[in-house]
């Protein structure tokens, strides 16, 4: 990923396209902030020709694949020739750090005495590299018959060593191989290229690809070929943007998680923001702020403060952006993003030991004033309908305003008083007492705690209700009996002490665990029904809404499953943190072992990263975004927290 939100998404089995989101260059065209990803260079198909025989570089001659957290990957191919000999080719693909540039280097390693079967260095091999290009937003597909078949060939401007392809956005994709290579202008289409992942999502799996021509160059042993592709977006590329070619190995899990964090942190003008997940998310409020807690835990306070500065400037009447797209921050339909903002600020205060950061200027208000304004607005009522119940001091949340935020259909509406909202609100009130003492904040926090223990606790089941459902006062709301992981924040944020109820809670939540994740709903029958309907059609069994597989059509299959049995990676470390809090330091090794089950997720999907979700049912296949910010950040935060306490 680039520091402005562009991405390189190349397949480990070189040249294959599994998803419409695969691309060697998904450019972010706004030089100042994440705005979109414009798919330009889908792939490069490569053939090596020796003695008139052509061999495509594909999985059947792929020897190894390595990746680097510095935006690079390396493929080694052993290409057989006659008489038992072979030659090796190393492909190294790199993405620039701050601009829309990729570089493909192809090296033919020289022969040495230990490799007698290798082709001699002075025998050249001809490389043919055919790029397939696109010109589309990353959620769309290309259909040649709709116009591109006639229009795109005229957009090519070829030259001796490359070409320019004029995009519909007004930008230009430029590719060049340099001398002594040459570019042969020979346009062709690949029709109905199948993307199998889209088929599992109930989306159109077929799209068309356009190739302006091919590059040709001879490569002897010990020599290298370099092909560059770039889309200029108004920012002049710097000379130091290319990553180091060191492909390190032997990381501990904590080291790998810390390295993985940087892929999501992006520049947004002078501030920082977080890409919620690759390949399709942009900046999300709650995701950025949950991620921010990891930066604080790792003592990266300047970066954390830059995120707080960004979101604090957007505060209006108790609201923060639910998501930001370019300069559009109008989506404020979230009850938890403002509360995670408080949680980050409390973490900052307790980590730094001083209150200086609260005095920073946020366009005319200090951060302290923003926090106080936000709390008072949430008490009296925000424009979005979030408000405090005057009797219990619990916080009301409209439907689909929490992280379980599917809508149309509302797969998990949770309108009323969700349990984690109360945990975060209590945490905010305790923090407000720290920075604004003597104003009654602590008394309100005590009322919230008492209401949680009185209204949410289900003694028979041994866990807390996930949500008090209803539109009115909390005392008349209906406590559901859904077993979900949200209640774990009551423990980690200190609402309930690590005693009997906390112990029962974490032991009951063991039922939700899968390797590397925690299910969003237990596979149990419910007394309080959860109907999910779309266009008047009931989609589930309201008294047994568990859905263990996340695939198929979005509205009728995936949304009903998204938070009703699908396992999530980001709350899994929260479970481990809660367990450690209940059972003490002697349990840290156990918790770290559980967290170690996430390693297998980092070895599949997006190499080195953690996916958004898994199927709740065995074999718990990864789904959704295959590189998710809060999955990585919460794992990094809790692994560090539990490890550092033992040293």
């Amino acid at each position: 990923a680039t520091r402005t939100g562009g991405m390189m998404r190349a397949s480990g089995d070189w040249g294959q396209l599994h998803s419409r989101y695969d691309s060697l260059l998904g450019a972010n065209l706004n030089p100042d902030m994440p705005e979109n990803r414009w798919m330009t260079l889908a792939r490069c198909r490569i053939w090596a020709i020796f003695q008139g025989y052509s061999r495509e570089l594909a999985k059947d001659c792929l020897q190894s694949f390595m990746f680097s957290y510095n935006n690079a990957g390396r493929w080694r191919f052993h290409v057989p020739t006659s008489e038992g000999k072979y030659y090796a080719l190393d492909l190294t693909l790199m993405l620039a750090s701050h601009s829309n540039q990729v570089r493909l280097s192809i090296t033919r390693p020289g022969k040495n005495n230990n490799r007698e079967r290798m082709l001699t260095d002075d025998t050249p091999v001809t490389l043919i590299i055919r790029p397939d290009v696109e010109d589309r937003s990353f959620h769309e597909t290309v259909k040649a018959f709709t116009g591109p078949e006639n229009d795109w060939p005229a957009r090519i401007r070829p030259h001796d060593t490359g070409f320019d392809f004029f995009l519909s956005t007004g930008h230009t994709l430029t590719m060049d191989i340099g001398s002594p290579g040459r570019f042969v202008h020979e346009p062709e289409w690949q029709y109905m290229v199948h993307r199998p992942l889209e088929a599992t999502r109930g989306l159109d799996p077929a799209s068309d690809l356009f190739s302006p021509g091919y590059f040709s160059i001879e490569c002897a042993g010990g020599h290298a070929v370099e092909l560059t592709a770039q889309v200029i977006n108004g920012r002049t590329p710097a000379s130091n943007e290319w990553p180091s070619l060191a492909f390190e190995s032997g990381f501990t899990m904590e080291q790998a998680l810390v390295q993985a964090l940087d892929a999501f942190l992006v520049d947004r003008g002078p501030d920082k923001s977080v890409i919620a997940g690759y390949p399709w998310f942009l900046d999300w409020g709650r995701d950025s702020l949950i991620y921010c807690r990891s930066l604080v835990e790792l003592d990266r306070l300047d970066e954390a403060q830059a995120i707080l500065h960004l979101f604090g400037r957007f505060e209006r009447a108790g609201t923060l952006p639910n998501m930001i797209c370019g300069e559009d921050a109008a989506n404020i339909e979230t009850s938890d993003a403002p509360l995670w903002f408080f949680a980050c600020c409390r973490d900052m205060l307790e980590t730094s030991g001083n209150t200086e950061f609260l005095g920073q200027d946020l366009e005319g208000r200090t951060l302290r004033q923003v926090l106080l304004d936000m709390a008072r607005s949430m008490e009296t009522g925000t424009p979005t309908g979030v408000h405090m119940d005057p009797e219990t001091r619990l916080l009301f949340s409209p439907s689909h305003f929490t992280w379980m935020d599917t809508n149309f259909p509302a797969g998990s509406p949770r309108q009323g008083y969700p349990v984690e909202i109360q945990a975060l609100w209590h945490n905010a009130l305790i923090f407000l007492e720290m920075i604004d003492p003597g104003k009654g904040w602590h008394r309100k926090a005590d009322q919230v705690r008492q209401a949680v223990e009185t209204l949410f606790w289900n003694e028979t089941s041994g866990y807390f209700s996930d949500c008090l459902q209803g539109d009115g006062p909390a005392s008349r709301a209906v406590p559901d009996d859904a077993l979900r992981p949200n209640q774990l924040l009551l423990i980690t944020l200190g609402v309930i002490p690590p005693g009997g109820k906390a112990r029962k809670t974490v032991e009951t939540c063991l039922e939700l665990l899968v390797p590397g994740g925690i299910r969003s709903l237990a596979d149990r029958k419910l007394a309080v029904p959860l109907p999910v309907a779309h266009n008047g059609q009931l989609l589930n069994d309201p008294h047994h809404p568990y859905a263990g597989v996340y695939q198929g059509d979005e509205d009728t299959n995936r949304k009903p499953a998204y938070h009703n049995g699908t396992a999530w990676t980001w709350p899994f470390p929260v479970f481990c943190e809660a367990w450690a809090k209940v059972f003490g330091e002697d349990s840290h090794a156990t918790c770290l072992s559980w967290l170690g089950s996430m390693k297998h997720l980092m070895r599949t999907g997006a190499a080195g990263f953690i996916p958004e979700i898994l199927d709740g049912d065995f074999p718990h296949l990864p789904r959704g975004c295959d590189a998710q910010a809060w999955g990585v950040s919460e794992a990094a935060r809790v692994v560090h927290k539990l490890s550092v306490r033992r040293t």
Side-chain angles (χ1 to χ4, degrees), residues 114-128:
N114 297 324
R115 296 180 177 177
E116 294 298 331
R117 293 173 51 234
M118 283 187 72
L119 202 64
T120 58
D121 292 350
D122 59 355
T123 308
V125 170
T126 301
L127 299 178
I128 301 295

Side-chain angles (χ1 to χ4, degrees), residues 483-523:
L483 175 58
R484 298 187 187 271
N486 298 304
Q487 61 190 301
L488 295 166
L489 288 169
L490 293 174
I491 302 170
T492 62
L493 295 176
V495 184
I496 60 171
K501 289 179 180 177
R503 180 168 183 156
K504 285 182 180 179
T505 297
V506 294
E507 288 176 342
T508 304
C509 284
L510 281 169
E511 178 181 330
L512 299 172
L513 296 189
V514 306
I518 187 167
R519 289 185 292 176
S520 48
L521 179 67
D523 187 2

Side-chain angles (χ1 to χ4, degrees), residues 128-194:
I128 301 295
I129 306 168
R130 184 174 272 280
D132 290 325
V133 305
E134 299 181 291
D135 179 17
R136 63 176 176 89
S137 175
F138 64 140
H139 289 309
E140 298 173 352
T141 58
V142 173
K143 302 296 183 183
F145 69 89
T146 63
E149 196 162 33
N150 295 323
D151 299 341
W152 288 16
R155 294 202 209 160
I156 305 166
R157 184 174 63 193
H159 54 86
D160 290 344
T161 59
F163 66 89
D164 296 331
F165 179 64
F166 301 107
L167 303 172
S168 58
T169 61
H171 300 78
T172 303
L173 169 67
T174 298
M175 294 193 70
D176 195 280
I177 200 168
S179 183
R182 64 189 180 99
F183 174 70
V184 178
H185 180 216
E186 188 180 275
E188 71 171 28
W189 281 92
Q190 294 276 307
Y191 298 106
M192 299 291 286
V193 177
H194 184 67

Side-chain angles (χ1 to χ4, degrees), residues 522-556:
D523 187 2
R524 294 183 173 197
K525 289 189 175 180
L526 300 181
V528 179
L530 175 60
V532 180
H534 182 54
N535 293 336
Q537 181 72 35
L538 185 66
L539 301 177
N540 70 341
D541 176 352
H543 287 280
H544 198 170
Y546 173 84
V549 178
Y550 180 80
Q551 66 175 358
D553 175 70
E554 182 176 19
D555 288 336
T556 58

Side-chain angles (χ1 to χ4, degrees), residues 449-464:
R449 178 184 54 77
Q450 291 168 12
V452 166
E453 294 208 17
T454 301
L455 300 177
F456 283 82
W457 177 248
N458 186 325
E459 181 64 37
T460 302
S461 300
Y463 58 88
F464 289 88

Side-chain angles (χ1 to χ4, degrees), residues 433-449:
E433 181 66 30
M434 296 177 183
I435 66 170
D436 188 35
K439 304 294 177 59
W441 300 113
H442 198 281
R443 176 177 51 81
K444 293 171 185 175
D446 284 343
Q447 289 178 275
V448 169
R449 178 184 54 77

